[in-house]
Amino acid sequence: MNIRCFSLLVVLTILLLVSSSASAVLDYKDTEIVSADTVIDDDLLIYGDNVDIRGTVLGDVMAFGESVRISGNVTGDVMACGGKVTISGIMGDDVRIGAIEVVIEGNVGDDVFVGATTVEVSEEAYIGGDMVFGSGRMDVWGEVAGNIEGRAGDVVLAGPVGGNVELEVGNINVLSTARINGTIEYTSPRKVTIPPSTVIQEVSFTRQEPTGIFNIPETISIFIGWLIRFVYLLIIALLVLVLLPDHVEAVARNIPENPILNLAMGFALVVIGFVGSVVFMVTVIGIPIGLILLFATLFALYAARLYFGLWLGRLIFSRLGKESKPWMDMVLGVLVLFILTSLPWVGGLIYMVVTFMVIGVIFSTMRGSAKA
């Protein structure tokens, strides 16, 4: 069992044993349905193999699942991750999606940000802001009131666009039903014929020699693998924030204090954890203790980023002068940190420094609480 699976198992086990008081969080089920007559006057965090939100959410929605469908009304932002994500209701604000397949057939009040293998904006869809995407294939049949910007292997534009279109594509197909009120700027290996009168302003083409990047399955696999790892970490982070809010807050507050000391202490604790687990497992009677110590050390190495994520997200929002909620701090901070730790060369160093330092902070915080 790898550390991601073990970490998720630990958190879900805690969730089954501990009764959460947060009305905005639903327990895990194979199929999670919010019925059409349900009104949730709060933010909603929901996850399951199959998620179906048919009711009204007076707040933001975060949904995770193999299949996610939102056919109800959401007044705030929507963040959804899964195998297939379908938006067919009325979304009041921004929509952010990471999935293998995305279908948008409802109304979105503001911007849409999508990373997926295939994306379809149906004829019934309306997007009130900009659409930014990265995908293997993108079909836009509905209306986008703002700009369209993105990168894909194949793009079909067949509906009205209120602003400009800027694309980097393997191939673009502009149908006669399209109407772009702004400009089209596209970079592609080949120039295509665009029907007259479909583009109100100018068309700009930049030739790019084909590199094959759009047709390499490994490119999509890398992205999906990155996305899955991020979703695992984010789910764990949000669940721990719900289950242990005081503990997470206390650790996050102490992160800026004594960073060098906590870094050294965290490194020492990790070494002690691994060495201690081996020592205990040498004897038969000590195997259970050794396994617990080993799993605890591995979990700490994996999950330490969530504490730092809360602190980092809060710092970013405060510097921007924006008000935020703890879960918003967590999502932003974990995303930024995950990107930083994924960078070549320096990513590993950032990961080690953050992890060891936070482990030291956790130990210092728990020791301070015990003395109090």
Side-chain angles (χ1 to χ4, degrees):
M1 179 184 297
N2 61 39
I3 186 62
R4 292 197 302 272
C5 294
F6 173 74
S7 303
L8 185 58
L9 178 61
V10 169
V11 175
L12 293 180
T13 302
I14 295 173
L15 184 62
L16 294 174
L17 296 176
V18 180
S19 176
S20 173
S21 60
S23 61
V25 180
L26 302 182
D27 291 337
Y28 174 87
K29 297 177 182 177
D30 289 340
T31 300
E32 190 67 80
I33 298 176
V34 177
S35 61
D37 58 352
T38 298
V39 177
I40 299 177
D41 190 8
D42 200 347
D43 296 334
L44 174 65
L45 167 61
I46 184 171
Y47 57 101
D49 288 345
N50 298 286
V51 173
D52 191 351
I53 303 174
R54 306 172 186 175
T56 299
V57 179
L58 304 178
D60 300 331
V61 168
M62 298 188 66
F64 306 92
E66 181 178 345
S67 172
V68 176
R69 173 178 285 273
I70 305 177
S71 56
N73 298 335
V74 178
T75 62
D77 295 337
V78 172
M79 177 177 177
C81 295
K84 180 177 181 179
V85 175
T86 303
I87 304 294
S88 57
I90 299 176
M91 312 297 110
D93 209 338
D94 297 334
V95 171
R96 299 173 178 84
I97 303 173
I100 296 175
E101 180 181 358
V102 173
V103 177
I104 300 176
E105 51 192 18
N107 287 8
V108 178
D110 206 346
D111 301 331
V112 173
F113 303 88
V114 177
T117 303
T118 62
V119 181
E120 179 182 352
V121 180
S122 69
E123 292 184 22
E124 301 82 12
Y126 173 80
I127 297 172
D130 298 336
M131 180 152 194
V132 180
F133 67 91
S135 65
R137 180 179 178 85
M138 163 68 78
D139 293 345
V140 183
W141 300 90
E143 180 176 356
V144 178
N147 303 317
I148 294 179
E149 180 179 350
R151 181 180 185 185
D154 294 284
V155 172
V156 174
L157 296 178
V161 179
N164 303 318
V165 175
E166 184 176 348
L167 302 172
E168 184 175 348
V169 296
N171 183 59
I172 180 174
N173 186 11
V174 181
L175 303 185
S176 59
T177 55
R179 182 179 177 85
I180 291 88
N181 289 324
T183 62
I184 285 187
E185 297 181 26
Y186 70 100
T187 300
S188 176
R190 64 188 67 85
K191 187 175 183 178
V192 299
T193 301
I194 296 178
S197 74
T198 57
V199 182
I200 303 303
Q201 300 184 34
E202 64 181 20
V203 176
S204 175
F205 165 67
T206 302
R207 185 178 302 278
Q208 176 179 307
E209 293 301 321
T211 61
I213 188 170
F214 298 112
N215 297 317
I216 298 179
E218 288 79 5
T219 303
I220 296 176
S221 298
I222 291 172
F223 171 77
I224 297 300
W226 187 93
L227 178 63
I228 290 174
R229 293 195 301 273
F230 170 68
V231 170
Y232 265 117
L233 181 62
L234 185 59
I235 290 175
I236 293 171
L238 292 172
L239 291 179
V240 171
L241 180 62
V242 169
L243 297 173
L244 303 170
D246 295 338
H247 168 68
V248 177
E249 289 280 354
V251 173
R253 283 196 304 269
N254 292 332
I255 284 177
E257 300 180 10
N258 301 318
I260 303 301
L261 177 61
N262 287 320
L263 176 63
M265 186 183 302
F267 176 78
L269 288 170
V270 170
V271 172
I272 291 172
F274 280 118
V275 173
S277 63
V278 172
V279 171
F280 277 112
M281 284 189 288
V282 169
T283 61
V284 176
I285 194 172
I287 289 179
I289 299 176
L291 288 174
I292 292 173
L293 185 58
L294 176 62
F295 285 149
T297 304
L298 291 174
F299 182 76
L301 287 170
Y302 179 74
R305 288 171 290 178
L306 67 91
Y307 298 93
F308 193 87
L310 180 64
W311 173 80
L312 180 60
R314 186 162 297 164
L315 177 65
I316 294 173
F317 275 118
S318 65
R319 292 294 175 87
L320 294 175
K322 302 288 187 179
E323 294 184 1
S324 62
K325 300 177 182 179
W327 72 263
M328 296 170 64
D329 298 332
M330 184 70 84
V331 171
L332 177 61
V334 168
L335 175 60
V336 172
L337 183 59
F338 196 84
I339 292 173
L340 291 176
T341 55
S342 299
L343 295 174
W345 304 108
V346 297
L349 179 61
I350 294 173
Y351 172 81
M352 288 190 294
V353 170
V354 168
T355 300
F356 292 146
M357 184 177 67
V358 172
I359 291 174
V361 174
I362 294 172
F363 179 78
S364 300
T365 304
M366 294 178 64
R367 185 175 59 181
S369 299
K371 289 182 179 179

